[in-house]
Amino acid sequence: MLSRNLNLLRFSSKNAANRALFVNRTTTISTYCDRHIGPQSDRNDYNIMLERVGYKSMDGLLEDTIPSHIRLSDEEMNEMSSVIGRDGKSESDALKELKDKMSNNICNKSYIGMGYYDTLTPTPILRNIIENPSWYTPYTPYQAEIAQGRLEMLLNFQTMIKDIVGKEISNASLLDESTACAEAMTMCLNMSKKKFKDDQEAIFLVSENCHPQNIAVIKQRAEPVGIKINVISDDKFESELKNNADLIFGAIIQYPNTYGNVYNNLQSLVDLAHNNGISMIASTDLFACSVLKPPGEYGIDIVVGSAQRFGVPLGYGGPHAAFLACDDANVRKMPGRLIGITKDSRNKPALRMALQTREQFIRRDKATSNICTAQALLANVAAAYGVYHGPNGIKSIAQKIHLYTKILSNGITQKLKCCENMNKVYFDTVTFKINPNTIKNNSAQTILNLGYENGVNFRPIDEQSLSISIDETTSLDDINKIFEIFNNSMNNPTKLPNTDELIEICENENLYKDDNINRTTPFMQHETFNTHHCETAMMRYLYDLERRDLGLNTAMIPLGSCTMKLNSASVMIPVTWNTVNNIHPFAPQQQTKGYESLIREMEDMLASVTGFDAISLQPNSGAAGEYTGLLTIREYHKQRGEEFRNICLIPTSAHGTNPASAAMCGYKIVAIKCDSQGYIDMVDLKQKAEQHANELGACMITYPSTHGVFEDNIIDLCDIIHKNGGMVYMDGANLQAQLTKTSPGKIGADVCHLNLHKTFCIPHGGGGPGLGPIGVNNKLKPYLPSHPIIDNAPNSTNSIGPISAAPFSSASILTIPWMYIKMMGFNGLEKATATSILAANYMAKRLENHYKILYRRNGLAAHEFIIDCRHFYKKTPDSKKKDDYIYKIEAEDIAKRLMDYSFHAPTMSWPVVNTLMVEPTESEPLEELDRFCDAMIGIRKEIQDVEENNVNIDDSPLRHSPHTIDTVTSDDWNKKYSRKEAAVNPYKSYWPSVGRVNNPYGDLNKICACPSVEDLVKIQQAQEDAATKSIEN
């Protein structure tokens, strides 16, 4: 084992080559870059690492790692640095610049609604979740044993959602409400038993009273896969369901609708749809469902919506957690993740991602969704909001919102008498039509303009109408201000309404006169939602959950292809500024000049580092970026009259989202082989590109490859695709290794998505949020996505439709990559790229004598490497049974044993089955790199003990890991290894909270909500049965 303390080297003249890149000559004060990057120059970490790899300088290592013909020239690097800045800013200077920039936003009080509302984030949740690295730095909970805290909160989310909307099961969040609507449409098609002929178009009905962004995203999602969208008025809905029943597979309504009206005939509509074999979707509001009869109780098949108003700030559009709830019978068709309860190796309850519905995309080109992420952090915030307030609190907030909405309506229509309320039944939104000759200029714009002048935003509808949406932050003072605005807009102002009088009038009215639409059923009855209502209890509950998870504040998370780098405190601070998170996404553009500047600068910087001509910030995940990029290629061919170009070449090593995204765009997938070295088989690629030259639309590649290698023939690959009429889509998952050294544009790609939650430091949040903007060349620039509310593609008439609810998706977290790039500068980004490559190769060299390292070029990896675990087995001699082994140790055994060392495992069994892919990033200190290597070497010795028959596999700690503290301290210790061997380090700061999770048991016993007493008794009985069996043996 390498002892770093015994190998510290001092700088000498022979190491001068490394000083130029890694030592700041101008000052002795450490920079942000110095603190972001783990290895330290002043301790000679780089020289130690280079010596292990076999190089005297970083330049020499990079020359042998990155092919020379794709390297940026000095002129290209100088041009890049002129855009992003050569030297990074200090943390204080960057924060000041950004604060000044965002101060140009005007934070009006917004009553625009349309699915976005101001909210009060409880301060215990703000401090203990949103601003807490224990919650925002972990990865998606693939390793359930070290993710029990956020898994429990996500289970709370699922339970809360399904209870409130009246369905049997909910997923663990989706990207936003509009994409949830689109996912539900596809789910309806998969649920349908109708068979459509080749000459028939499957029809999906959309109410014209859905939010406009929902309609637009549904249309864009439907078009590539041949679904016909009929947008119709509500008064024609029933006749359409009858007349075209054979062709309609699904329909969607908004409940309450975008103008605030609540359906009074919903039950008859649902019954009619079901009688004709049509599935119904409702996009709904959680607060409304707490007082109105929820959609599920009408028999609505799928309920979607946004949980934003449960404590998640507006953020100029996001990030926010959407949801999708349905019946148990359709759970396997449901997109997104699903959290379920199972038992662990101790036969005690444990949580995990269930039923493989966590990722539809694993079906590749057969997938119905490409979702591989969610909005876990925001779902956790919304769930915590539900836990803190409880069902009574939620209902009380909803009742207050409705009361204030009634006061508003009564005051304007009955007291001021200047407008008519167009809604017969409403919850929080009223659409007002001005009465003739009452408002100046006889125009609703008069009211809107006076509102702007007084710091208030209403929603314009048409020349004569506007709408107002009330939220939990609305006070009686706010209502009075609205009265003043309307009164001052009148030709003949009158006495202002008396709110005290209106309260008495409105409180004495029944909530809803029609009892059939009042909610009568209880919700959120589980004890979790009825226990933690004082701040002390809530604080301790959140801390209890926090301690069960492993985040970057605990240890390195060396997940290959995930780039789990530092999310520094400085980059995170602006997210909670009022000028960042209190802006409605559809606020007038004159109020969003700060965001306009931020977005423009982000587009310029991202275009520069990728070598592209234009950027779209609309995709709100990497998979959404893939989908958007492929749509731009599809539209390019369509505008050239070559719609027949529908073949997409994809290597067999590609991430599962690649073929899933291509299928969603209507492409036919043709697989390309990889050779024994993990490289794309160029002979196979050339043959298939030429074979399909007349239909070739695109080729999807990842660079460096998914195997972690810079392939030499990448430019040749691009040339072959282009010569045969196709375009090259580059998956940006591995952009970390390219940054400042080469670029997708330099290599020849036409479009590339960027994972800002990887390369540019947006935290993974335990499974979201993320951002996946795309960069394109000039050929594809005209086709970047548009938006129906905010014109963000003003120079193009050929733009594709929107793929996200908000025009710039999760705009508030753009402040994170802005801060990162500004503080790193070109020099810092260059150092980060170099260090990530050095770190990966240092670890590979330390481990290569203990494990087989796959797929290296010149004996070198890029920024990640793959450990082969496929040969740790011995079959029973002469046995004819396929799975008859004396021992078989797999990647999963190593992954679980790493938890005893307080590590998150590397990426397991991808891109090669039964391997571990390691990506250390530039942020990990040398001590942590060594600690991981020491752990892997120690585990290899345990494997060797089994191989040499010193230990039976069933008696090895490998088979029983991870070990919980209660197991190690139990009086009943019957293992053949010591407690100390099990614990590794009894003084460690992190212990897994459950034993190895039993996945088959969870699949057979599906529990995907907070467990009832009966559920726990079932698991407890299994525990008792196991204990009895142990005694008998």
Side-chain angles (χ1 to χ4, degrees), residues 20-238:
L21 187 57
F22 298 117
V23 177
N24 189 322
R25 298 177 178 179
T26 61
T27 178
T28 58
I29 300 174
S30 60
T31 65
Y32 171 79
C33 177
D34 295 328
R35 291 187 284 272
H36 169 79
I37 291 178
Q40 298 295 297
S41 301
D42 58 1
R43 298 190 308 181
N44 291 341
D45 290 350
Y46 287 99
N47 297 314
I48 294 169
M49 296 165 73
L50 283 166
E51 182 176 351
R52 168 66 72 166
V53 177
Y55 284 85
K56 294 182 178 180
S57 72
M58 180 60 73
D59 287 342
L61 172 64
L62 296 177
E63 285 173 8
D64 285 352
T65 305
I66 305 173
S68 58
H69 59 286
I70 67 168
R71 297 282 293 271
L72 295 174
S73 66
D74 289 343
E75 183 179 351
E76 289 168 322
M77 288 191 288
N78 287 334
E79 184 178 348
M80 186 183 297
S81 67
S82 70
V83 175
I84 64 177
R86 172 67 66 177
D87 297 312
K89 294 178 177 291
S90 70
E91 291 160 282
S92 58
D93 286 348
L95 285 167
K96 182 180 184 303
E97 181 179 339
L98 185 58
K99 186 177 281 288
D100 291 343
K101 184 188 297 289
M102 301 311 285
S103 68
N104 292 314
N105 290 327
I106 300 173
C107 298
N108 274 11
K109 182 80 174 176
S110 278
Y111 300 99
I112 296 170
M114 301 176 71
Y116 298 94
Y117 303 85
D118 201 358
T119 183
L120 297 173
T121 306
T123 49
I125 296 173
L126 174 67
R127 175 61 59 87
N128 294 297
I129 295 184
I130 296 176
E131 297 177 343
N132 186 347
S134 292
W135 287 91
Y136 65 70
T137 65
Y139 191 64
T140 303
Y142 293 119
Q143 299 294 335
E145 295 85 353
I146 53 177
Q148 291 295 297
R150 63 188 182 279
L151 283 170
E152 179 170 324
M153 192 60 88
L154 290 173
L155 190 73
N156 292 341
F157 178 83
Q158 292 176 184
T159 305
M160 177 181 75
I161 296 298
K162 68 101 176 171
D163 279 5
I164 292 177
V165 305
K167 295 305 292 180
E168 294 177 340
I169 197 165
S170 168
N171 69 6
S173 78
L174 292 172
L175 296 173
D176 60 41
E177 181 178 337
S178 297
T179 54
C181 291
E183 293 288 344
M185 172 187 67
T186 306
M187 184 176 168
C188 279
L189 183 60
N190 294 324
M191 289 161 49
S192 177
K193 296 180 180 179
K194 296 179 180 180
K195 304 296 181 184
F196 300 102
K197 298 178 182 178
D198 291 341
D199 60 345
Q200 291 179 323
E201 285 184 303
I203 296 175
F204 184 70
L205 288 189
V206 179
S207 166
E208 68 177 7
N209 292 327
C210 289
H211 294 319
Q213 69 271 22
N214 293 353
I215 297 173
V217 170
I218 288 170
K219 283 182 174 180
Q220 179 55 68
R221 182 70 66 90
E223 188 269 333
V225 292
I227 296 173
K228 182 180 180 181
I229 301 297
N230 282 357
V231 181
I232 59 175
S233 60
D234 288 346
D235 61 345
K236 296 179 181 178
F237 226 80
E238 290 193 12

Side-chain angles (χ1 to χ4, degrees), residues 514-697:
D514 183 355
D515 287 337
N516 291 327
I517 65 172
N518 280 313
R519 178 160 198 151
T520 59
T521 54
F523 58 93
M524 295 168 61
Q525 295 299 291
H526 192 271
E527 65 176 354
T528 301
F529 300 108
N530 295 278
T531 305
H532 312 291
H533 298 164
C534 74
E535 182 167 342
T536 302
M538 187 66 180
M539 174 180 66
R540 289 171 182 163
Y541 178 59
L542 294 177
Y543 182 63
D544 177 57
L545 297 184
E546 170 190 337
R547 292 172 63 199
R548 301 184 207 171
D549 283 13
L550 189 149
L552 284 174
N553 59 341
T554 312
M556 174 168 67
I557 303 179
L559 285 157
S561 195
C562 298
T563 316
M564 298 294 293
K565 63 169 68 178
L566 171 71
N567 317 120
S568 71
S570 293
V571 304
M572 297 299 295
I573 283 175
V575 172
T576 54
W577 289 347
N578 187 58
T579 54
V580 171
N581 67 22
N582 199 31
I583 308 289
H584 194 287
F586 306 144
Q589 288 178 279
Q590 62 266 29
Q591 296 176 15
T592 60
K593 296 300 182 183
Y595 263 115
E596 182 182 315
S597 175
L598 172 72
I599 288 165
R600 184 172 60 248
E601 195 166 3
M602 278 303 304
E603 289 174 345
D604 290 344
M605 291 191 295
L606 294 178
S608 175
V609 299
T610 57
F612 283 124
D613 300 301
I615 299 288
S616 171
L617 297 170
Q618 195 173 118
N620 50 5
S621 76
E626 291 177 17
Y627 176 65
T628 309
L630 289 171
L631 283 177
T632 63
I633 292 175
R634 182 177 179 273
E635 192 65 21
Y636 168 81
H637 292 310
K638 180 180 178 181
Q639 293 297 327
R640 289 163 53 89
E642 297 183 333
E643 293 181 71
F644 49 81
R645 290 194 172 275
N646 65 347
I647 296 293
C648 185
L649 306 183
I650 303 179
T652 55
S653 61
H655 196 278
T657 54
N658 286 184
S661 297
M664 288 170 60
C665 292
Y667 286 104
K668 296 178 182 178
I669 316 302
V670 174
I672 302 300
K673 298 176 184 176
C674 290
D675 63 23
S676 60
Q677 298 301 309
Y679 297 172
I680 293 174
D681 187 326
M682 291 297 290
V683 173
D684 189 51
L685 178 124
K686 188 172 187 295
Q687 184 267 319
K688 287 175 178 172
E690 292 174 350
Q691 176 186 346
H692 298 287
N694 292 332
E695 301 89 26
L696 181 61

Side-chain angles (χ1 to χ4, degrees), residues 6 85 90 112 153 181 187 198 255 279 288 331 404 411 442 498 516 556 592 616 640 718 757 936 952 970:
L6 297 178
S90 70
I112 296 170
M153 192 60 88
C181 291
M187 184 176 168
D198 291 341
Y255 179 85
S279 297
V331 67
Y404 282 19
N442 202 32
N498 185 312
N516 291 327
M556 174 168 67
T592 60
S616 171
R640 289 163 53 89
C718 294
H757 49 287
M936 288 295 292
N952 186 290
S970 170

Side-chain angles (χ1 to χ4, degrees), residues 168-447:
E168 294 177 340
I169 197 165
S170 168
N171 69 6
S173 78
L174 292 172
L175 296 173
D176 60 41
E177 181 178 337
S178 297
T179 54
C181 291
E183 293 288 344
M185 172 187 67
T186 306
M187 184 176 168
C188 279
L189 183 60
N190 294 324
M191 289 161 49
S192 177
K193 296 180 180 179
K194 296 179 180 180
K195 304 296 181 184
F196 300 102
K197 298 178 182 178
D198 291 341
D199 60 345
Q200 291 179 323
E201 285 184 303
I203 296 175
F204 184 70
L205 288 189
V206 179
S207 166
E208 68 177 7
N209 292 327
C210 289
H211 294 319
Q213 69 271 22
N214 293 353
I215 297 173
V217 170
I218 288 170
K219 283 182 174 180
Q220 179 55 68
R221 182 70 66 90
E223 188 269 333
V225 292
I227 296 173
K228 182 180 180 181
I229 301 297
N230 282 357
V231 181
I232 59 175
S233 60
D234 288 346
D235 61 345
K236 296 179 181 178
F237 226 80
E238 290 193 12
S239 61
E240 188 74 9
L241 289 172
K242 294 175 184 176
N243 298 336
N244 283 318
D246 291 343
L247 298 178
I248 299 171
F249 67 87
I252 186 170
I253 59 149
Q254 195 88 37
Y255 179 85
N257 75 23
T258 190
Y259 304 112
N261 197 48
V262 176
Y263 284 84
N264 57 7
N265 65 334
L266 187 53
Q267 190 64 64
S268 62
L269 203 64
V270 172
D271 292 343
L272 177 60
H274 289 169
N275 290 338
N276 288 283
I278 298 167
S279 297
M280 286 290 296
I281 305 166
S283 185
T284 196
D285 177 273
L286 293 178
F287 274 132
C289 288
S290 71
V291 293
L292 289 166
K293 184 176 178 179
E297 292 184 15
Y298 288 101
I300 293 284
D301 299 280
I302 304 172
V303 183
V304 298
S306 171
Q308 177 268 316
R309 67 191 310 182
F310 273 29
V312 182
L314 287 162
Y316 199 47
H320 306 139
F323 58 82
L324 185 151
C326 64
D327 294 323
D328 281 334
N330 295 312
V331 67
R332 291 188 179 273
K333 297 180 176 68
M334 184 170 64
R337 298 189 181 120
L338 183 68
I339 310 307
I341 299 174
T342 183
K343 62 178 183 177
D344 69 358
S345 55
R346 306 167 302 162
N347 289 305
K348 293 185 177 181
L351 302 170
R352 55 149 204 162
M353 291 197 292
L355 294 179
Q356 297 300 316
T357 57
R358 63 179 188 256
E359 286 176 348
Q360 273 274 356
F361 78 81
I362 60 174
R363 300 175 61 207
R364 300 179 73 84
D365 57 314
K366 304 298 182 185
T368 58
S369 170
N370 70 343
I371 289 176
C372 70
T373 191
Q375 298 284 19
L377 182 65
L378 298 316
N380 286 332
V381 170
Y385 182 95
V387 170
Y388 195 46
H389 287 294
N392 293 334
I394 296 296
K395 193 162 189 174
S396 294
I397 294 169
Q399 289 170 339
K400 177 206 163 189
I401 290 170
H402 182 59
L403 173 63
Y404 282 19
T405 308
K406 287 196 295 182
I407 291 171
L408 175 70
S409 175
N410 194 305
I412 290 176
T413 63
Q414 303 301 314
K415 303 299 182 183
L416 296 179
K417 297 183 179 180
C418 61
C419 295
E420 177 187 357
N421 183 346
M422 302 304 292
N423 299 332
K424 293 181 179 179
V425 183
Y426 56 89
F427 168 62
D428 64 357
T429 299
V430 178
T431 295
F432 293 110
K433 183 176 182 180
I434 63 174
N435 292 329
N437 303 317
T438 58
I439 301 296
K440 295 173 184 176
N441 303 316
N442 202 32
S443 171
Q445 192 63 46
T446 301
I447 304 171

